[in-house]
């Protein structure tokens, strides 16, 4: 589907999501009749359109016809691109960025393409929009800058970004640009102003501007010698080191420390009785339910055939010194609420277990962290809180690795003849799911699986799960090439799906009540209900 309307007009400054509600826009399928939509909640353009029954009927009709013409089943939403006054947009475009009383015209397109999920719209964020031509600029003559070439005629592409995020991350979140844009390094060129903008800059000053995407010359991305490094990688590494000092400053502020220390109360040491080699970390999700990693309890991929624990498991809160006087220990019930290790229905890697602990009558657990959820940040700082090595609770700061840093960090292992075979499986796994894993370097290894990972706003966005191991024959030890966390949102999606499949209405109701207390989760799952 293509939504089409008039010439681009732009606002001179950033746009606040909260300031744009309620607002009105229209849609039409190319006829004179227009359907009015009044948007009252922060969310995506897709979720706003889904409140129009006429649009739902139109979409279902066209999807049904499309499937018949192709002789195959058409997945709902795959054939959907959008254009407003600003240009062609994606369906996860924030509704607040659509101009008041804009008219959207809907048409069908005969080619399938997939969209990324983008950001979950945050009412506390400010946004900018800018356009990019579908035909690239310098050094793109023989390259396709678009992931789907059939989109070339639908221009300009209107991209949105948070004012605090990098341009590169905004392009990745958009989902319409090909891998060459990120692998070969790109920059934006503003022809009318004769200016260029590096993509590692934040997007705050881009609102209303028009760009071409240009690529760096290929020679700048090649290694000059075995010991050499990419020029772009050097710059990226330098920027990362510079940013880390800012990260430490942010996490060192008393206000942030107080918040993290408060949340750390909800982090617990997970103990598998009579199995000394198995220790982990977990945290309270809500009520007396603990989230941790499934690999603490199952070794192979698990299809949830048996949710019963075969050994005794307990969790300890306040394990912060070796004296142990303030430790508060609870026993986990034998029946797990949920466990999943392997791949989910969306082919995402999952590795989680949800325990229910027996609180008894005299004890209570710390508050759950579900309501403190935040989206996965594109870059910046992260804070892990857990029990590495099964020791006392600890806190560690790290930096989320960009794709460039991540790729360069792993390349050295590919070139090392001593470890290349040992690490090949790990490298293949990481490359396959490189946009899904949250990667960083940390000393949190054995025993810290299940630790919550917080962003620089104190929001929990993922669960530390492990590292990509390899055997170093020179040291005769198992090393970790890079460490990673799994995003929290897919875990929640699978958990809710399993609760529905198991007809566990009591727990499902409590989850839904907790989702209402986090605006990001509330918007996401409300939107999911209409898809």
């Amino acid at each position: 589907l293509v939504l089409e309307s008039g010439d681009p007009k732009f606002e001179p400054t950033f746009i606040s999501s909260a300031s744009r509600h309620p607002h009105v826009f229209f849609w039409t399928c190319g006829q004179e009749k227009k359907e009015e939509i009044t948007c009252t909640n922060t969310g995506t353009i897709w979720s706003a359109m889904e409140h129009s029954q006429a649009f739902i009927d139109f979409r279902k009709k066209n999807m049904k016809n499309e499937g018949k013409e192709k002789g195959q089943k058409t997945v709902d939403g795959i054939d959907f691109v959008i254009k407003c006054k600003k240009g062609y947009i994606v369906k996860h475009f924030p509704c607040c960025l659509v101009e008041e009383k804009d008219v959207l015209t809907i048409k069908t397109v005969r080619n399938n393409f997939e969209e990324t999920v983008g950001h979950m719209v945050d009412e506390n964020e400010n946004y900018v929009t800018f356009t990019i031509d579908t035909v690239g600029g310098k050094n793109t003559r023989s390259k396709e800058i678009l992931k789907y070439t059939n989109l070339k005629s639908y221009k300009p592409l209107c991209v949105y970004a948070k004012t605090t995020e990098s341009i590169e991350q905004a392009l990745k979140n958009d989902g319409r640009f090909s891998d060459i844009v990120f692998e070969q390094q790109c920059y934006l060129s503003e022809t009318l102003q004769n200016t260029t903008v590096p993509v590692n800059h934040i997007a705050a000053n881009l609102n209303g501007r028009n760009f071409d995407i240009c690529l760096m010359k290929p020679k700048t991305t090649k290694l000059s010698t075995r010991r050499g490094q990419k020029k772009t990688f050097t710059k990226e590494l330098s920027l990362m080191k510079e940013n880390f000092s800012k990260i430490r400053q942010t996490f060192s502020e008393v206000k942030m420390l107080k918040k993290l220390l408060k949340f750390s109360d909800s982090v617990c040491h997970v103990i598998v009785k009579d199995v000394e080699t198995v220790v982990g970390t977990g945290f309270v999700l809500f009520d007396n339910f603990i989230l941790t990693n499934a690999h603490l309890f199952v070794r192979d991929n698990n299809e949830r055939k048996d949710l019963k624990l075969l050994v005794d498991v307990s969790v300890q809160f306040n394990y912060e010194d070796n004296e142990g006087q303030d430790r508060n220990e609870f026993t986990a019930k034998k029946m797990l609420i949920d466990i999943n290790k392997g791949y989910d229905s969306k082919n995402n890697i999952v590795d989680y277990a949800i325990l229910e602990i027996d609180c008894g009558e005299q004890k209570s657990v710390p508050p759950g962290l579900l309501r403190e959820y935040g989206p996965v940040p594109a870059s910046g700082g992260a804070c892990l809180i857990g029990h590495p090595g099964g020791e006392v609770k600890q806190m560690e700061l790290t930096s989320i690795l960009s794709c460039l840093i991540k790729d360069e960090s792993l390349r050295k292992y590919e070139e090392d003849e001593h470890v290349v075979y040992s690490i090949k499986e790990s490298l293949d796994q990481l490359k396959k799911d490189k946009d899904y894993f949250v990667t960083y370097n940390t000393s949190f290894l054995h025993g810290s699986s299940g630790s919550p990972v917080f962003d620089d706003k104190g929001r929990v966005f993922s669960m530390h799960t492990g590292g990509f191991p390899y055997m170093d024959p020179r040291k005769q030890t198992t090393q970790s090439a890079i460490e990673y966390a799994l995003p929290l949102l897919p875990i929640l999606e699978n958990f809710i799906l399993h609760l529905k499949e198991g007809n566990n209405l009591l727990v499902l109701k409590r989850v839904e009540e907790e989702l209402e207390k986090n605006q990001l989760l509330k918007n996401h799952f409300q939107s999911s209900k209409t898809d």
Side-chain angles (χ1 to χ4, degrees), residues 480-500:
S480 176
I482 202 170
E483 292 73 48
Y484 67 93
L486 295 179
L488 193 55
L489 185 60
I491 293 174
L492 297 176
E493 290 176 332
N494 280 276
F495 179 36
I496 291 173
L497 177 63
H498 294 161
L499 290 175
K500 291 178 179 178

Side-chain angles (χ1 to χ4, degrees), residues 466-513:
F468 292 95
Y470 68 94
M471 172 59 71
D472 189 335
R474 293 160 298 190
K475 299 180 180 180
Q476 288 297 306
T477 57
T478 300
Q479 307 287 331
S480 176
I482 202 170
E483 292 73 48
Y484 67 93
L486 295 179
L488 193 55
L489 185 60
I491 293 174
L492 297 176
E493 290 176 332
N494 280 276
F495 179 36
I496 291 173
L497 177 63
H498 294 161
L499 290 175
K500 291 178 179 178
E501 291 175 346
N503 202 32
N504 194 338
L505 301 182
L506 185 61
V507 177
L508 178 62
K509 181 180 178 181
R510 281 295 300 123
V511 174
E512 291 176 340
E513 289 172 349

Side-chain angles (χ1 to χ4, degrees), residues 131-142:
T131 66
I132 294 180
D133 199 317
T134 57
V135 179
K138 192 173 181 179
N139 298 322
T140 64
R141 182 172 297 179
S142 61

